[in-house]
Amino acid sequence: MRIDSKGRIDRSRPLTFVFDGTSYAGFKGDTLASALMANNVRVVGRSFKYHRPRGILTAGSEEPNALVEVLGPSNQTPNTRATMQELFEGLVARSQNRWPSLGLDLLEVNDLAAPFLSAGFYYKTFMWPRRLWEGLYEPLIRRAAGLGRLSGKHDEGTYEKAWAHCDLLVIGAGPAGLMAALTAARAGVDVILCDESSEPGGRLLSDEGAIDGLPAADWVAGVLAEMASLPNLRLMTRTTVTGAYDDGTFGALERVGLHRRPRPNLPRECFWRIVAKRSILAAGALERAIAFENNDRPGVMMASALSTYLNRYGVVPGKRIALFANTDSARNTARSLMAAGVEVAAIIDPREDAAEEPGTTVHRGAVVARARGRMGLREITIRKGASETRLSVDCLGVSGGWNPTLHLTCHMNGRPRWSADLAAFVPNDGAIPGMLVAGAANGSFSTHGCLAAGAEAARASLAALGMAAPMAALPQAEDAPYAIAPLWQVPTKKRAWLDFANDVTTKDVALSAQEGFTSVEHMKRYTTQGMAPDQGKNSNVAALAVLADATGRGIPETGTTTFRPPFAPVSIAAMGAGGRGAGFAPQRFLTSDRASRDRHAPMIEAGLWYRPSYFPKPGETTWRESCDREVMMVRSSVGVTDVSTLGKIDIQGPDAGRFLDFVYTNTFSTLPVGRVRYGLMLREDGHVLDDGTCARLGETHWLMTTTTAAAGLVMRHLDFVHQAFCADWQVRFTSVTEGWAQFAVAGPRARDLITSALGRAPGLPFMGCSDVTVQGIAGRLFRISFSGEEGYEIAVPTRYGEALFRDLIARAETMGGGPYGMEALNVLRIEKGFITHAEIHGRTTACDIGMEKMVSAKKDCIGKAAAARPGMTGPEREQLVGLKPLTDSPITAGAHLFAQGAELTRENSAGYVTSVGYSPLLKSHLALAFLKNGRARHGETIRLVDRLRDIDVLCSVTGPVFHDPEGEKLRA
Amino acid sequence: MRLTCPFCGPRDRREFHYYGAADYLNRPGPEAAASAWDDYLHNRDNPAGVTQDLWYHEQGCAAWLKVTRNTVTHEILAVDAVAGGAA
Ligand SMILES: [Zn+2]
């Protein structure tokens, strides 16, 4: 029901929205909750376990009942708090956890079965027989319980993540936060002020207080106006700080577009990481409930929420309201309601010394014993001593006191302490390094207390930042003492709710204690109290008090549960913003990428790179046809392929040769200028790290090539070796991988192609290199081969890569050649027995791959000592061999090798296959494999078994080099 | 977590690559006993308290850093360049 004169909604901007298929009207400035309330919608959801009708309980992010699904064009956002969802034109929302409808929920039968669904019912009921769990119990429970549903479709919404840095982060823009941020910003430091509401002000907007003699909301407006003029202050509304992490890092979730009609490119949410030198937690306090019989009936809500709905949204949930409170704060609610013309039927105050309240009846020393009204409160029972009286009301505001919102102070293992005066937990100093807690979050509940604490926290933070802060006069505000007589539950034999979201009652907690789960952490898990989306914000302290009662211990002895991040739920989509689809990983494209795609080459991923798989010709229908043709093309004429993905590290300095001797197993310092050498690199533990060629371009200038896969790893390794062990050597190096486009030209006509492209004969011996001019461009030429044919690699600066690639291919095609892709490249290197990271996979030693002679005896190198250790060499290890099936049968990488006749057990595995390919040259499938004592077993027949793919083939063991073992073609 | 690189200033931990204990800096000589190599390569303390480990400013200046930190309190006590003679 609307109250005409009240609220901060914009009545000139009516909006329509849909809830459960019915269209309603609201105003700009409403939340979904306030608009439903204005339309007298009392039941907004069904409870988790018992499917009891539930109404709105709070006006904030702690709401446990009013959880809805918000339906967008491509999104269905479950568990949205109606109390946080701002209204916009066309909003469509749906209640959750009911079937078929809110009014008629057939699963409400669970409520009748409550005796069987008490604490621990999962454990007791569904344990045995175990085999029924997956098939029957779990699906059944999941259908009956559970909260909102997802759409099952991809979330096509836009999300962002971002960083922000500041001197001071102020969390919460109530009186303490506003005062703190203003004081600090006036002193000139960089301030970020976050508030989770759409509008700063906190309780100043909800309560009708006065500051400096003016309505508090006017003071807020003045502060905001000044803040807007301060460029060093950033105000982030709709932003919930969700976690406090090491070294002043905070997580925060901003609702960027959730309060507006969706439109393309409008982010829904942004996940912020905020780095702050200092922080002030001014998150306020949350009012807590009192448990009594049927206290979950729709219409029973928090007293402070009544004030918020009245003063912010101009709406009340009933015509005849009662209040049940053990503090004075609910008196303000009563006065506001009465001043707005709403009938306050009674105030039930358990304190014997409670004051009278003009305009209504105060029942001193009394409690509310029960509520009635399944689909909406009709009546309460007031109990005083032994007498009970009934009172007809349609709304009851409850206040059991206030819990400081100290959650963030627990995120780094801090524990709050119990304050008997406040009957609440308060944070300990220093729980988060650099953080001060101010205002209600620290247990100062008066407006004056909040303003003073905010200013003081700002001054202390400024001092820590090395800034002097002038004392300024505080605005005048009320400073009422906080008087509370703790009351957690009204005794009953029936059910009284503690955790509305997870349907946990006082009986469940008592039962937990009775069954031995007396530790708060055990109670929580046994009853599931505090494990719902609200994470126990509404129930933790009360549940703890009830547990303390049940076990006869005090609350401080009983302890408290740990609050962990996030403070409020964070959507995975926001945390993973940008990581969907192609955003999951960066993409690296070769300069030849377009030319390859022009030729319809399917691209495959190689790390982050995209490389052409093969270049199909008209009429070719399978990749194998193209691959076989490309292999034969290289073997018979000439092929061109882009090898720019290989890592390239430019190394310079007088000690460069010495450095290479230290990182490679073999010697480089003796290599003449203009020559290239193959090198092997070990990890310090003796296993192979990487291999590749290294060219001596000048007396003190080298160019190292790494494999594609290990380019980053090798760079990191070189940096470590240099900085840790020989930082004083005169050597410097940098990655130039991105700087050069490099193409392999291979085949009997490779020399002709290079001659044609350069306009002169290359004139290089095998493993030679030189600077060249390629059609006017300064480039480099290397005579190296990864195919076993005469081969060259020609490099030009990246910007000329595409042009050179197209040029080389055009020339190759006049010679019967052309481009070849990764598939052919792989077959060529298997035919030639060249290894890749399929072979040097991290567990192979130099000896395993037959390169033990490359570990120089004349010098130390990384990995040399470990490579010589027992177990790193010798015949008991698996050694690199070639395999050729005896029949024309495909073979697979990953298959295991067994002696003929051996039982196929893990223990009998004699090795495994690392690489396979079909050789059109040898007309056979070929494999590279590791076989125990393999070098001594050439000529043997071995059984290759792949049980995953049903392959069982006899193979002959050979040397790993199938093609041109003498290397005559390379050196031609 | 944030580390203050001596060359780049305070940066988020996402810019750094973690390697392992600072023991990796104390490489035995080539003639050292097998047990020395064992210790160097494999044997590590797991202290509750102050520890030193190696981080690489991979997305920054490429400096290897020796970080002294407290595993209990998460305090970062010092960040030194490995090449500065810390070895
Ligand atoms: Zn750096």
Side-chain angles (χ1 to χ4, degrees):
Chain A
M1 184 176 74
R2 289 284 181 199
I3 303 293
D4 284 343
S5 57
K6 305 289 285 186
R8 305 174 65 78
I9 49 173
D10 185 350
R11 286 180 166 82
S12 69
R13 295 179 67 184
L15 302 171
T16 57
F17 68 101
V18 174
F19 178 69
D20 276 349
T22 304
S23 190
Y24 296 101
F27 294 110
K28 176 90 182 151
D30 262 325
T31 61
L32 177 58
S34 69
L36 286 170
M37 196 179 278
N39 286 283
N40 301 317
V41 176
R42 305 190 74 185
V43 178
V44 295
R46 286 277 179 165
S47 76
F48 177 69
K49 201 158 91 179
Y50 301 122
H51 290 256
R52 286 165 68 95
R54 289 283 168 80
I56 295 157
L57 185 75
T58 74
S61 69
E62 70 276 19
E63 175 63 31
N65 287 345
L67 307 183
V68 299
E69 290 164 1
V70 172
L71 309 177
S74 61
N75 306 83
Q76 177 173 317
T77 311
N79 303 336
T80 301
R81 287 138 199 77
T83 51
M84 296 301 283
Q85 176 62 54
E86 294 168 57
L87 211 60
F88 57 81
E89 179 60 36
L91 173 71
V92 180
R94 187 162 68 192
S95 60
Q96 304 184 158
N97 207 30
R98 83 291 191 274
W99 187 82
S101 72
L102 263 185
L104 173 69
D105 181 348
L106 297 179
L107 288 168
E108 198 174 351
V109 67
N110 280 6
D111 199 32
L112 302 174
F116 309 105
L117 295 175
S118 60
F121 84 101
Y122 286 105
Y123 310 113
K124 292 170 183 164
T125 316
F126 299 111
M127 271 312 284
W128 309 102
R130 186 178 289 274
R131 70 193 156 75
L132 288 185
W133 178 254
E134 275 185 19
L136 181 64
Y137 296 150
E138 195 188 349
L140 200 72
I141 292 170
R142 287 206 183 282
R143 202 174 315 132
L147 295 164
R149 293 159 299 170
L150 293 165
S151 67
K153 297 180 198 137
H154 285 290
D155 181 347
E156 298 298 339
T158 309
Y159 297 83
E160 291 281 355
K161 49 188 176 185
W163 286 88
H165 299 258
C166 61
D167 294 319
L168 177 67
L169 171 66
V170 179
I171 301 157
L178 285 172
M179 200 64 207
L182 186 65
T183 305
R186 279 174 177 166
V189 298
D190 255 334
V191 178
I192 292 178
L193 172 59
C194 291
D195 193 274
E196 81 175 339
S197 181
S198 57
E199 203 182 355
R203 293 235 41 101
L204 296 178
L205 304 181
S206 298
D207 302 328
E208 290 182 301
I211 296 181
D212 280 345
L214 293 168
D218 293 0
W219 179 81
V220 172
V223 169
L224 293 178
E226 181 176 351
M227 284 181 168
S229 73
L230 294 168
N232 55 322
L233 184 141
R234 276 168 283 175
L235 174 62
M236 297 172 67
T237 55
R238 301 187 176 93
T239 305
T240 308
V241 176
T242 57
Y245 305 94
D246 284 327
D247 306 308
T249 307
F250 295 84
L253 184 68
E254 181 184 4
R255 307 188 303 278
V256 181
L258 296 183
H259 58 293
R260 300 173 129 171
R261 278 179 80 88
R263 57 169 195 264
N265 302 320
L266 173 68
R268 288 162 56 78
E269 294 172 306
C270 177
F271 188 71
W272 288 89
R273 291 182 178 92
I274 302 174
V275 180
K277 292 182 186 134
R278 306 283 307 178
S279 58
I280 294 173
L281 179 66
L286 293 175
E287 199 168 28
R288 64 197 182 202
I290 299 168
F292 57 89
E293 183 184 331
N294 288 339
N295 61 327
D296 64 329
R297 290 307 187 203
V300 178
M301 59 193 298
M302 305 315 303
S304 60
L306 284 173
S307 295
T308 302
Y309 285 109
L310 175 63
N311 289 315
R312 272 188 80 165
Y313 305 107
V315 62
V316 288
K319 294 189 171 71
R320 195 171 142 81
I321 296 177
L323 291 158
F324 176 26
N326 62 344
T327 69
D328 291 340
S329 62
R331 297 300 179 97
N332 290 331
T333 303
R335 285 168 211 149
S336 283
L337 289 167
M338 289 187 284
V342 181
E343 183 186 358
V344 175
I347 296 175
I348 299 93
D349 194 325
R351 296 174 296 180
E352 294 290 352
D353 59 348
E356 287 296 336
E357 191 64 47
T360 185
T361 313
V362 176
H363 297 266
R364 283 198 209 88
V367 295
V368 173
R370 73 184 59 85
R372 282 202 180 82
R374 198 177 66 88
M375 299 300 285
L377 184 67
R378 290 193 319 271
E379 179 191 278
I380 56 171
T381 301
I382 302 168
R383 180 190 296 158
K384 180 165 177 156
S387 75
E388 292 192 344
T389 53
R390 293 179 171 197
L391 183 68
S392 288
V393 290
D394 52 5
C395 174
L396 177 71
V398 180
S399 176
W402 293 81
N403 292 325
T405 305
L406 48 74
H407 303 66
L408 288 178
T409 67
C410 299
H411 286 185
M412 289 174 70
N413 224 19
R415 292 284 186 280
R417 70 171 192 282
W418 180 252
S419 161
D421 289 347
L422 302 176
F425 284 100
V426 292
N428 276 309
D429 290 341
I432 304 287
M435 176 186 277
L436 298 171
V437 188
N442 201 31
S444 300
F445 294 139
S446 76
T447 308
H448 168 80
C450 287
L451 294 169
E456 181 48 38
R459 271 193 297 276
S461 301
L462 288 166
L465 291 165
M467 303 278 292
M471 290 292 290
L474 277 179
Q476 297 297 308
E478 61 83 20
D479 193 17
Y482 182 70
I484 181 169
L487 177 65
W488 309 102
Q489 56 176 327
V490 176
T492 173
K493 292 198 169 61
K494 302 281 180 55
R495 286 176 295 167
W497 262 259
L498 288 166
D499 186 335
F500 291 72
N502 256 0
D503 262 345
V504 178
T505 65
T506 54
K507 278 171 98 169
D508 293 321
V509 173
L511 183 65
S512 167
Q514 190 187 317
E515 299 194 349
F517 297 97
T518 53
S519 134
V520 63
E521 296 292 347
H522 288 160
M523 178 277 287
K524 171 177 167 166
R525 283 155 183 81
Y526 196 58
T527 63
T528 72
Q529 181 275 323
M531 293 166 75
D534 78 328
Q535 287 287 290
K537 287 192 188 76
N538 299 286
S539 60
N540 270 355
V541 177
L544 191 67
V546 171
L547 179 67
D549 254 8
T551 58
R553 295 173 297 185
I555 290 175
E557 293 75 41
T558 305
T560 178
T561 56
T562 311
F563 296 111
R564 295 192 180 87
F567 171 75
V570 180
S571 58
I572 301 287
M575 281 192 282
R580 201 178 54 207
F584 184 72
Q587 294 170 300
R588 300 177 83 180
F589 297 114
L590 293 160
T591 59
S592 61
D593 189 77
R594 200 171 356 162
S596 296
R597 291 178 200 261
D598 284 352
R599 288 170 176 265
H600 310 293
M603 305 303 277
I604 56 167
E605 290 171 61
L608 301 178
W609 290 101
Y610 286 76
R611 304 183 73 176
S613 193
Y614 54 93
F615 293 85
K617 286 250 166 147
E620 290 173 349
T621 54
T622 68
W623 69 270
R624 260 288 303 282
E625 286 176 71
S626 307
C627 175
D628 288 357
R629 173 184 51 75
E630 289 173 11
V631 170
M632 293 312 292
M633 174 185 81
V634 173
R635 296 276 180 234
S636 61
S637 58
V638 62
V640 178
T641 195
D642 192 332
V643 293
S644 310
T645 61
L646 295 178
K648 300 180 266 305
I649 302 173
D650 193 286
I651 304 173
Q652 300 191 36
D655 287 323
R658 193 180 168 200
F659 182 67
L660 292 171
D661 287 349
F662 191 35
V663 294
Y664 279 122
T665 60
N666 45 335
T667 305
F668 275 79
S669 51
T670 55
L671 186 72
V673 173
R675 299 304 296 254
V676 184
R677 183 165 284 171
Y678 173 80
L680 188 68
M681 221 179 261
L682 303 182
R683 300 193 306 237
E684 193 70 277
D685 68 5
H687 293 90
V688 177
L689 170 67
D690 199 37
D691 69 344
T693 60
C694 190
R696 190 165 196 172
L697 304 177
E699 197 54 43
T700 60
H701 188 188
W702 305 70
L703 184 72
M704 176 189 285
T705 305
T706 76
T707 58
T708 301
L713 192 65
V714 168
M715 189 66 198
R716 184 193 300 161
H717 175 70
L718 296 187
D719 271 329
F720 181 73
V721 172
H722 177 230
Q723 293 173 37
F725 305 133
C726 51
D728 55 335
W729 292 5
Q730 293 188 55
V731 57
R732 290 294 181 270
F733 44 88
T734 192
S735 169
V736 294
T737 304
E738 309 276 350
W740 294 85
Q742 193 156 317
F743 305 101
V745 177
R749 300 204 62 189
R751 193 179 308 183
D752 295 340
L753 176 49
I754 295 295
T755 302
S756 154
L758 296 183
R760 65 169 177 83
L764 280 182
F766 178 56
M767 300 301 266
C769 68
S770 69
D771 287 342
V772 290
T773 304
V774 195
Q775 295 158 44
I777 304 304
R780 289 170 181 161
L781 187 67
F782 309 86
R783 185 167 166 193
I784 50 181
S785 171
F786 196 53
S787 61
E789 301 302 320
E790 180 173 348
Y792 296 85
E793 289 188 12
I794 184 164
V796 290
T798 300
R799 60 189 179 280
Y800 303 111
E802 181 176 358
L804 180 59
F805 182 73
R806 290 184 189 274
D807 179 84
L808 290 173
I809 285 178
R811 290 174 199 273
E813 283 176 339
T814 66
M815 301 173 178
Y820 64 103
M822 290 288 285
E823 296 294 348
L825 185 145
N826 195 43
V827 171
L828 290 162
R829 70 96 191 169
I830 290 172
E831 288 177 339
K832 183 61 187 169
F834 284 142
I835 54 172
T836 66
H837 276 277
E839 283 72 40
I840 47 174
H841 49 50
R843 293 186 295 117
T844 44
T845 66
C847 184
D848 297 343
I849 52 173
M851 295 190 187
E852 68 273 23
K853 293 203 179 67
M854 282 185 66
V855 184
S856 168
K858 294 187 191 140
K859 63 176 185 72
D860 185 23
C861 73
I862 297 292
K864 183 177 175 182
R869 300 288 308 281
M872 299 293 277
T873 59
E876 71 277 15
R877 290 188 63 89
E878 291 152 345
Q879 299 169 336
L880 184 67
V881 295
L883 296 178
K884 227 175 160 174
L886 297 184
T887 50
D888 179 27
S889 162
I891 46 181
T892 49
H896 275 253
L897 307 177
F898 296 89
Q900 288 184 82
E903 202 188 335
L904 300 182
T905 61
R906 181 178 56 76
E907 294 79 4
N908 285 344
S909 169
Y912 54 94
V913 178
T914 52
S915 299
V916 293
Y918 178 79
S919 166
L921 184 70
L922 303 175
K923 300 198 167 36
S924 170
H925 291 277
L926 301 176
L928 296 178
F930 284 97
L931 177 65
K932 270 184 193 146
N933 196 24
R935 279 202 285 284
R937 296 170 72 174
H938 294 181
E940 279 186 26
T941 299
I942 195 108
R943 187 173 168 196
L944 181 154
V945 180
D946 183 340
R947 288 183 142 177
L948 290 176
R949 281 160 287 199
D950 260 339
I951 288 169
D952 191 340
V953 190
L954 291 177
C955 298
S956 69
V957 180
T958 72
V961 186
F962 299 97
H963 173 64
D964 188 25
E966 304 308 318
E968 286 158 6
K969 289 175 185 291
L970 287 174
R971 293 179 174 81
Chain B
M1 177 176 170
R2 294 173 69 75
L3 294 174
T4 300
C5 173
F7 307 106
C8 308
R11 300 297 176 94
D12 185 78
R13 58 133 176 104
R14 288 166 186 78
E15 293 187 11
F16 298 88
H17 169 84
Y18 174 78
Y19 182 33
D23 300 18
Y24 277 121
L25 297 175
N26 307 316
R27 187 173 188 265
E31 305 307 323
S35 61
W37 278 99
D38 249 358
D39 283 344
Y40 174 66
L41 287 169
H42 305 300
N43 294 333
R44 293 289 179 269
D45 290 331
N46 183 20
V50 175
T51 190
Q52 291 193 314
D53 40 31
L54 298 168
W55 297 71
Y56 178 49
H57 200 183
E58 189 155 36
Q59 302 192 36
C61 62
W64 276 93
L65 305 171
K66 183 167 76 170
V67 175
T68 308
R69 63 192 180 92
N70 188 315
T71 59
V72 177
T73 64
H74 296 195
E75 274 173 294
I76 308 290
L77 303 167
V79 183
D80 301 303
V82 160

